[in-house]
Amino acid sequence: MSSAGASTRRNTVRQPKVYLDTDVLLAAAGSTSGASHLIIKLSELTLIQGVISEAVRIEAERNLIAKLPHALPAYRAFLKSAKLREVPLPSPDQMKPYQGQADPKDLPHLVAACLAGCHYLVTHNTKHYAPQPGTIEVLNPGALVMRIRQQLSHL
């Protein structure tokens, strides 16, 4: 095998799919210096595939209008630039196998992330989730940034 072929194979890293909870979008819109904002930038650079549900998008906008209206333009701009993939919330039947793995109000997000094939669910409320091992990893924004940094260091 040529060294170019070995190099290409060694440098192949899969693009992680990352489901973003509402609080991550709010933090990213409110500050340009935190891990949440960096996650949006990673999605813009296509180093990760950011995934949200329609409910997350709507809830974030509603909260920004009520609490941080000055951050609304930044939020709307990064929704376009980050090319976040929007997935539907699951049906009640789709949620049944996941019962007990998240706080009831957060369960639709866990299931949406799992059904979308996400590797990670990123939230500031990690204690609200307890997924079965091997399904999805729940991380706070800082932990995801460190995980991506580790993956990039192996390139």
Side-chain angles (χ1 to χ4, degrees), residues 35-115:
S36 295
H37 185 77
L38 183 54
I39 290 169
I40 297 300
K41 292 298 181 188
L42 291 171
S43 187
E44 287 177 358
L45 294 169
T46 67
L47 293 172
I48 66 170
Q49 181 182 34
V51 178
I52 62 172
S53 68
E54 180 183 26
V56 164
R57 180 179 49 78
I58 291 169
E59 181 182 7
E61 185 151 336
R62 185 178 64 241
N63 283 324
L64 287 169
I65 289 168
K67 299 174 186 173
L68 291 170
H70 67 279
L72 213 49
Y75 168 75
R76 289 179 176 150
F78 76 59
L79 276 183
K80 290 179 184 175
S81 64
K83 298 176 182 67
L84 301 174
R85 180 176 151 221
E86 195 169 297
V87 297
L89 281 178
S91 70
D93 284 341
Q94 290 173 310
M95 291 195 300
K96 283 180 186 173
Y98 297 87
Q99 291 297 323
Q101 296 183 40
D103 185 87
K105 70 176 184 61
D106 293 315
L107 186 62
H109 301 295
L110 175 67
V111 178
C114 290
L115 294 177

